[in-house]
Amino acid sequence: MALPERFRPTTTPFTDPAQVLVGPTWRITVLTERLLRLEWSDDGQFEDRATQVVWNRDLPAVPYEVSHDGDALQLSTRGLQLSWDGRRFSPGGLQVRQPGVRDWRSVWHYGDPETVQEREAGWHVGNLGGTARTLDEADGAVPLEKGLVSAFGFATLDDSGSLALDDDGWPTPREGEVDLYLFVHGYDAPAALRDFHALTGPTPLLPRWALGNWWSRYHAYTSGEYVALMDRFADEGLPFSVAVIDMDWHWVDIDPRHGSGWTGFSWNTDLIGDPEAFLAALHARGLKVSLNLHPADGVRSFEDAYPRLARRLGLDPDAGEPIRFDVASPTFMQAYFEEVLHPLEAQGVDFWWVDWQQGGASSIPDLDPLWLLNHLHFLDSGRDGRRPITFSRYAGPGSHRYPIGFSGDTVTTWESLHFQPWFTATAANIGYGWWSHDIGGHMFGERDDEMVARWFQLGTWSPINRLHSTSSPFQGKEPWKFGAEARAVMADALRLRHRLLPYLHTMNERAHRLAEPLVRPAYHADPRPESVLPGSGAFLFGTGLLVAPLTTPADRRTRRASVTTWLPEGTWHDWYSGLRYTGGRFVTFRRPLETYPVLARSGAIVPLVDGDDLSVANPAALHVRVFAGADGEFVLYEDDDGGEPTACRTRLSWNQADGLFTIDPVVGDASVLPDLRRWRVSVTGLAPSGTGAASEARTTYDNATGTVTVDLGVVDPAVGASFDFALRSASDQRLDERLFALVHDLQVGYIDKHVLWEFLEANPGRVARVAGLASLPIADDIRDVVGELLLADLAAEASSTSAEPGP
């Protein structure tokens, strides 16, 4: 049976013959200057169809040179040089070299091992890892599969075991014995990802609402309880955009003759008496709704959809025999979607959480059922012009086409928190950019308010921010269930995540169009051994931000948690305090619970939702944060969330020399924007000049962070606007204020506080303070936290040195 057109992906698998070298049992295809396809087939049959992983081989032609010496050949492009002896592929007979690289890592041999090191094993010297299927029951690190980025500069994608897609898009046995893709990108991780996505298809554009806060809890809610909870969140100013209903939405206490209650497709009307009214109430509150599915046990006779599905499949609905979940049957899968899931969607279910439990068995040899389930769910969700989305576990390379990823049920410990940011960022090495974790931990572990608050902060700066917990009265993630300090931090984290929506949605579009995941390891932008140091988990967050997660408890005396990471070259501004850091070195960041190490590069521009708007619509008020010190540009992307989006772009720019911020006229269809939009702009890293714009009533200055804010009012998108700040760049004039606040906060004896402060007052020069600090009779933790402030901005230190009087 042929599936409907919606289940047939668009693929372009045939390569320009001019890019292919072929012999009786081999083929070598030049796909890009740094990407080769290497095939071997004893019977001379090769695979030209799309596969589960590779959909596009019709890439733009690139020049190459080839020479033959009998059976042997030499092939070269601008990015690689291949030598092959013409025999069955072997380490001694097939090598590829990176031009211009002369050390021992410059040559790849066929069959070279690509070991992914454990995270804490030390410096990475091999493949830098991709991701893993799940974090279920993980208490800390789990082994990772390979990625496409390597410290050696070579990485392979073995597609030999991937099934082919037939004319109907259905998986089927393939041709060929060896089908290997060789990525020769050196340390250029972004280029490797661009080639990978060109080969396998882009990351889809997520709906804007998916980037807000998600509420999820394994709990037997009644409809009234759930709606009341959403109302309390709104009353407390805690914005949520997605409501995930765990398995208790359906019947779970069933007659044992039917088997397990994990599988279910019928509303539990004891809890949710009027499902359509319940879903309508959530929609009225601006929430999209996802329901949990464990489809492994199939559809049984007590299900509402059983008679329809049985008749559709030619079975006797009165017989009562369970209908097996046959993922390998096109007939069953089409009927399953149309008779079981679509009626629930017609009631108001927006998308599905596929919590698969069937394992790896199916009637199609070598098929991973999870892959096919993800594939079909995603394609089906995009019917009728909707923007597709699904929510399921990772199923190997190519899974980036089926966002969003559900990482599973982790243990609630510091060890799990410590692993998650590194795991999330490293997934970018296999193009998988939209992981959703159980923020705050799922099960077991222990109660630790500080840990959960730090997890909420990580959620703000994660691809997807989904709170979740197991079925326990003690593990809910409602902020009011925690102590006052942690509660305030959690609320701030949720509000900031929501305010980031304009920035996040622009990064969403960049991920789709440019193969640039929102969260990436720091070495994607700064490829050097120091930036690959395991342990810190620091990651890039979009185009202008770097996050160094705090995943260990705070020091008791300083009340600060710490993390050490490589900070790339340039000048960076602390998101919260405005403190400037000089990059190109290792930095240890120490933060109290209320703040987090988020750094903005000079020139970064970050648009935020302004005011108390809790919706996910394109906002009527924007607050743009600018970090001075260099020119900057940000092209804001906005659309209507349609499958074929109506969209527009607004270029925002900062001219450092002139202190000029500019909003260009909108490009595209401005109908997606609100009729009236107010703009507020804050520039961090400036000091007031005492003249010009700084004296205007609509301009304010925050001395604590060195931030100037101007209210531009309503701006016509067709015209744009600009504002001359008429201000000068500022070195950090607030150092003593920061130091006093730090000393005041230390949990130490008052005599120790006085000794430390008297030393700092007696030595006003930065250099003298740094030199004297080492010999001061104070504990190392105190010395270190003071030293961070003194050495944050090395440019200021150099300036201070030049200003010091001579002997």
Side-chain angles (χ1 to χ4, degrees), residues 42-54:
D42 284 340
D43 63 7
Q45 300 298 310
F46 302 101
E47 188 54 74
D48 288 320
R49 295 170 293 183
T51 68
Q52 290 175 277
V53 177
V54 176

Side-chain angles (χ1 to χ4, degrees), residues 248-429:
D248 286 290
W249 73 270
H250 62 72
W251 300 106
V252 294
D253 295 323
I254 61 175
D255 190 321
R257 67 188 175 88
H258 293 298
S260 167
W262 285 88
T263 295
F265 305 98
S266 307
W267 289 100
N268 180 344
T269 51
D270 287 346
L271 296 175
I272 303 171
D274 188 340
E276 291 188 11
F278 172 56
L279 295 171
L282 295 179
H283 288 157
R285 287 159 174 79
L287 294 156
K288 298 295 183 179
V289 183
S290 180
L291 300 185
N292 175 274
L293 292 177
H294 292 92
D297 287 340
V299 181
R300 293 159 293 182
S301 59
F302 65 86
E303 301 283 8
D304 297 340
Y306 180 83
R308 295 194 305 270
L309 183 63
R311 285 191 290 269
R312 172 77 175 263
L313 296 174
L315 304 174
D316 180 3
D318 295 325
E321 293 296 320
I323 301 174
R324 182 172 67 92
F325 194 89
D326 189 359
V327 71
S329 165
T331 300
F332 172 81
M333 290 305 297
Q334 182 178 350
Y336 168 69
F337 282 110
E338 295 176 357
E339 304 298 340
V340 179
L341 300 188
H342 289 185
L344 293 166
E345 293 176 25
Q347 290 181 314
V349 178
D350 295 292
F351 68 110
W352 299 98
W353 171 11
V354 183
D355 207 351
W356 182 243
Q357 289 188 323
Q358 186 164 312
S362 79
S363 59
I364 300 178
D366 301 319
L367 172 69
D368 177 358
L370 176 63
W371 176 87
L372 186 53
L373 200 61
N374 292 350
H375 177 75
L376 296 176
H377 257 282
F378 185 81
L379 295 175
D380 184 70
S381 71
R383 69 188 187 280
D384 303 327
R386 292 180 285 184
R387 186 169 295 180
I389 185 174
T390 194
F391 180 38
S392 184
R393 286 176 174 83
Y394 177 78
S399 291
H400 65 275
R401 295 186 302 250
Y402 315 118
I404 292 167
F406 163 55
S407 67
D409 302 336
T410 51
V411 177
T412 310
T413 60
W414 284 103
E415 288 75 17
S416 292
L417 172 59
H418 185 62
F419 179 64
Q420 274 191 6
W422 188 81
F423 173 84
T424 306
T426 303
N429 291 341

Side-chain angles (χ1 to χ4, degrees), residues 730-764:
S731 60
D732 192 346
Q733 302 298 322
R734 300 168 303 283
L735 180 59
D736 281 358
E737 296 173 22
R738 299 182 194 277
L739 287 167
F740 183 85
L742 169 61
V743 176
H744 185 275
D745 200 37
L746 293 175
Q747 305 293 293
V748 299
Y750 289 108
I751 297 299
D752 294 332
K753 287 177 183 280
H754 281 283
V755 169
L756 176 56
W757 185 245
E758 287 168 4
F759 161 76
L760 293 171
E761 283 190 310
N763 295 275

Side-chain angles (χ1 to χ4, degrees), residues 671-714:
S671 67
V672 302
L673 302 181
D675 293 335
L676 297 174
R677 169 176 282 174
R678 298 186 62 88
W679 291 75
R680 194 162 59 99
V681 181
S682 295
V683 182
T684 296
L686 295 180
S689 66
T691 61
S695 63
E696 296 182 12
R698 58 179 175 160
T699 303
T700 59
Y701 182 68
D702 178 10
N703 182 67
T705 61
T707 299
V708 180
T709 298
V710 59
D711 185 349
L712 297 181
V714 174

Side-chain angles (χ1 to χ4, degrees), residues 151-170:
F152 293 157
F154 302 93
T156 60
L157 175 66
D158 190 351
D159 201 38
S160 306
S162 185
L163 297 174
L165 302 184
D166 65 18
D167 292 341
D168 292 323
W170 197 253

